[in-house]
Amino acid sequence: MECRVLSIQSHVVRGYVGNKSASFPLQVLGFEVDSINSVQFSNHTGYSHWKGQVLTADELHVLYEGIKLNNVHHYDYVLTGYTRDTSFLEMVVDIVQELKRANPNLVYVCDPVLGDHGSMYVPQNLYPVYKNKVVPVADIITPNQFEAELLTGKNISTEKDAVEVMDLLHAMGPDTVVITSSDLPSRLGDRFLVSLGSQRHVRPDGSRTTQRVRIEVPKVDAVFVGTGDLFAAMMLAWTHHYPNDLKTACEKTFSVMHHVIQRTISYAHELAGPGRRPSPPQLELRMVQSKADIEDPAIVAEATVIS
């Protein structure tokens, strides 16, 4: 039976960000994807110039009403990413809640884009909307360390802190939490990045169990745009295929990320030439060229079960 995803994310004409980073890999893996573009830009904002339009909450509502009027608003997943407007975000929550009433098994995957490395890059008034309205209706969230700390009010200095933060996020609503990147030291050395994941399950007798994993992946000395959108889409896909096995879902997801990023950085350096730093156009994700890796990634990132 086919799975249908409603993806509400940004869109760019050139490159892979938002819906373009999510839709192609999900379609490759067999998902039907309906996309609503929260913004429509010529290119991502890492370029020197960009032009485009921003969808308002009212315009989002009109599009959703059109889908409802035709009775084609039956979804298995909702996927959301970057937005800068509180009313738009609140409209997303209203849509998710309505879709969940129609399908109680619907899974909402949210990348709570707030900031990174100690600073916010969205307006501060989005923070309480994410904390009080979005996260409570989400089933899977993919924050970085800064976002996880912001949402819970707790700092992460140790792995124990990270586990406590993930438990706090579980208590807010989501059954699956993946902290996509952290500043924690890696057992493999300072060239590796530590990520952590936690998934709650309900046993047949009604009791709860939690699986937690740590993943260590090589750092890359470059700035990519669209990787967060790809990551959330891959978590959606691989938790769908492995709903009770966070370890395997994370290994598949992080391995896809590794292959796409390595292919992108190799191509970017080839274009830039020796000793020159690649430009934003050269660092656009090599998504189509990574189709085989998206479909069946060779596992290069092994997850360790920590509890």
Side-chain angles (χ1 to χ4, degrees), residues 190-231:
D190 59 9
R191 293 195 301 172
F192 285 80
L193 190 70
V194 176
S195 302
L196 299 114
S198 181
Q199 188 173 55
R200 294 189 306 187
H201 302 285
V202 178
R203 295 190 181 101
D205 64 3
S207 62
R208 288 186 178 274
T209 180
T210 304
Q211 184 188 47
R212 301 184 184 94
V213 298
R214 180 183 64 249
I215 312 98
E216 293 167 270
V217 294
K219 293 178 181 177
V220 178
D221 183 24
V223 176
F224 301 95
V225 179
T227 49
D229 309 312
L230 174 61
F231 185 92

Side-chain angles (χ1 to χ4, degrees), residues 246-304:
L246 181 64
K247 180 179 186 295
T248 299
C250 282
E251 288 174 344
K252 295 272 192 181
T253 297
F254 279 93
S255 293
V256 169
M257 300 302 299
H258 173 84
H259 293 306
V260 173
I261 287 171
Q262 287 302 317
R263 181 170 286 105
T264 300
I265 195 70
S266 296
Y267 180 73
H269 281 307
E270 185 182 319
L271 288 182
R276 301 190 65 179
R277 201 164 183 82
S279 65
Q282 292 166 343
L283 287 167
E284 292 285 8
L285 297 179
R286 303 290 285 168
M287 201 76 76
V288 172
Q289 296 79 5
S290 301
K291 177 178 177 290
D293 291 317
I294 293 167
E295 290 177 299
D296 186 20
I299 300 303
V300 294
E302 292 196 12
T304 302

Side-chain angles (χ1 to χ4, degrees), residues 25-53:
L26 286 172
Q27 289 167 332
V28 161
L29 290 169
F31 293 82
E32 290 287 346
V33 183
D34 292 350
S35 299
I36 294 178
N37 299 331
S38 57
V39 306
Q40 183 155 284
F41 285 173
S42 55
N43 44 268
H44 69 68
T45 55
Y47 283 72
S48 301
H49 309 281
W50 68 91
K51 298 286 185 180
Q53 302 83 36

Side-chain angles (χ1 to χ4, degrees), residues 153-168:
K154 179 177 175 60
N155 291 332
I156 297 174
S157 301
T158 65
E159 190 174 281
K160 181 175 178 288
D161 292 337
V163 168
E164 290 174 2
V165 164
M166 291 189 291
D167 285 345
L168 288 170

Side-chain angles (χ1 to χ4, degrees), residues 38-87:
S38 57
V39 306
Q40 183 155 284
F41 285 173
S42 55
N43 44 268
H44 69 68
T45 55
Y47 283 72
S48 301
H49 309 281
W50 68 91
K51 298 286 185 180
Q53 302 83 36
V54 177
L55 195 72
T56 67
D58 288 342
E59 289 165 339
L60 171 61
H61 180 69
V62 167
L63 289 174
Y64 177 64
E65 285 298 308
I67 295 170
K68 278 174 59 181
L69 287 170
N70 288 296
N71 196 31
V72 290
H73 60 300
H74 307 289
Y75 292 99
D76 303 288
Y77 289 90
V78 175
L79 175 63
T80 65
Y82 176 80
T83 185
R84 293 184 60 84
D85 181 73
T86 54
S87 60

